[in-house]
Amino acid sequence: MNNLTLASSSRLAISILLVSFLSACQKEVTEHSSQPKVHTVTTATIVPASSYLHTQEFTGTIKAGNTTGIGFELAGKIKLLAVDSGNSVKQGQLLASLDTRLLEAEKQELEASVLQNSADLRLAKSTLNRSLSLRKQGYASEQTLDELEGKLNSLLAAQKRLNASVSANALRIDKSSLLAPFDGVISKRTSDLGEVVNLGTPIFTLIEFNNPQAIVGVPVNVAQHFSPTQQVTIRVADSRYLASIEGVGAEVNAITRTVPVRLSLPSEAKVLNGEIAYLEYEKAISQAGFWVPISALTDGVRGLWNIYVLSNKQPQDSLDTFSIERRDIEILYTKNEQAYIRGAIHPDEVYIDQGLHKLVVGQKVRPVANSSTAAAR
């Protein structure tokens, strides 16, 4: 009996100890959870602005200063193709030539005619001189002298015609060789070796080196703000270039209702003929507002957005904690990672610039200035 009493007393003591331990732990957890967690947030100060630059992009194409279809000035059979697509050429370099055998035969025939004409001229001059001597002695009639002078004049005229024919033949032989009119690159070859081509048929398309240009269509009201030599920014793919306006069109395109603007890019610009070019045009919009990073904004209601600012009251305790307030704002313009806004905010207020998904209105936070946050320019 004494053993049962002893065992019961031991179990009771152990139960009392367990209850005491659990009560102490629960009290510790309750005391710990009663202290809310304070988040550390990065902040920045709201700085007012009186206007912002609105950037518009207008589309155009890259076009070399000279893009020429090059062909022979006379018909013939292609004898030589010295270059092909993709080859770089220098001004005056031989590109192709025609078969000139017929022209060479014509040249030989003309040379023989020139020799015959020279011999006839010498004979005519000698005969006329002898007849003039005989006339002094009374042995030559006036009619004979007139006939000899007429023949001499006819031979002199024939000599001029032959000289002109020789020059024309030489010119045709010279033009049977196709030379590059400027430095450039062959973008396309349209004829083959041995092909008979007509006068003016393009054999190659040649694109000029180091003279890239862009043709961009812009609205009339934008074109009126442009002037020759004005500097603007052109974007091609991921590269930007400072281009100079060479000319503004004087007629509106009937389909696009835009005015063409011709721009000259730097000679070292890495662009290809036909690439899409974007003209960046900035216009100052007079509207008071504030630049903030997009990461400082969160969805609101009725089409508005929200920004979280710190309460303008004094710190809540010795840990320099503040309460979060929500303000309604409107986004006027965005550029890169920045937004231009207006709404229920005031200059010099401190706002939270990132990490809004971890926060709720009224929460206590400890601010840390974010030195990397900067307003857009």
Side-chain angles (χ1 to χ4, degrees), residues 69-92:
I70 303 174
F72 292 101
E73 294 183 40
L74 62 163
K77 181 179 179 181
I78 297 178
K79 177 184 177 182
L80 172 68
L81 291 172
V83 295
D84 208 335
S85 301
N87 291 149
S88 298
V89 298
K90 296 290 186 180
Q91 183 177 7

Side-chain angles (χ1 to χ4, degrees), residues 47-280:
V47 179
S50 60
S51 63
Y52 65 93
L53 290 177
H54 177 65
T55 301
Q56 293 177 280
E57 282 192 340
F58 303 104
T59 307
T61 56
I62 296 297
K63 187 179 185 301
N66 284 305
T67 302
T68 307
I70 303 174
F72 292 101
E73 294 183 40
L74 62 163
K77 181 179 179 181
I78 297 178
K79 177 184 177 182
L80 172 68
L81 291 172
V83 295
D84 208 335
S85 301
N87 291 149
S88 298
V89 298
K90 296 290 186 180
Q91 183 177 7
Q93 180 178 337
L94 177 66
L95 305 181
S97 61
L98 295 175
D99 188 344
T100 59
R101 286 177 295 178
L102 288 176
L103 292 174
E104 294 292 343
E106 180 184 284
K107 178 182 178 182
Q108 293 176 5
E109 183 179 354
L110 288 171
E111 289 174 347
S113 297
V114 168
L115 291 175
Q116 180 65 50
N117 177 263
S118 297
D120 291 343
L121 276 173
R122 286 194 298 270
L123 178 60
K125 288 179 181 179
S126 298
T127 303
L128 180 60
N129 289 334
R130 284 195 299 270
S131 296
L132 289 173
S133 299
L134 291 173
R135 189 185 65 173
K136 293 178 181 179
Q137 300 174 10
Y139 296 111
S141 66
E142 292 293 331
Q143 182 178 354
T144 301
L145 292 175
D146 291 341
E147 291 175 353
L148 290 174
E149 287 179 354
K151 184 176 181 180
L152 180 61
N153 290 332
S154 178
L155 289 171
L156 288 173
Q159 183 185 52
K160 290 184 179 181
R161 285 194 299 271
L162 284 172
N163 289 338
S165 297
V166 169
S167 298
N169 174 264
L171 185 59
R172 287 195 297 272
I173 292 176
D174 182 63
K175 289 186 176 296
S176 295
S177 295
L178 187 60
L179 306 180
F182 48 79
D183 295 352
V185 60
I186 302 295
S187 68
K188 183 168 60 176
R189 175 172 64 86
T190 55
S191 297
D192 297 319
L193 189 66
E195 183 177 346
V196 177
V197 294
N198 294 322
L199 182 149
T201 301
I203 309 299
F204 303 102
T205 299
L206 180 62
I207 298 175
E208 186 179 16
F209 270 151
N210 304 323
N211 187 20
Q213 296 186 353
I215 306 297
V216 181
V218 301
V220 175
N221 62 332
V222 175
Q224 291 172 346
H225 289 87
F226 289 151
S227 59
T229 71
Q230 181 179 341
Q231 301 287 308
V232 295
T233 300
I234 287 288
R235 179 173 65 85
V236 182
D238 295 328
S239 300
R240 283 179 167 79
Y241 304 99
L242 191 63
S244 177
I245 294 178
E246 297 294 334
V248 179
E251 185 176 5
V252 176
N253 186 292
I255 299 175
T256 64
R257 308 308 301 170
T258 59
V259 178
V261 178
R262 183 168 56 90
L263 306 107
S264 178
L265 277 68
S267 58
E268 67 275 8
K270 302 298 183 181
V271 296
L272 296 177
N273 216 37
E275 275 193 285
I276 297 178
Y278 300 92
L279 169 61
E280 296 182 352

Side-chain angles (χ1 to χ4, degrees), residues 286-300:
S286 297
Q287 172 63 63
F290 312 91
W291 281 108
V292 297
I294 293 178
S295 59
L297 305 178
T298 185
D299 293 340

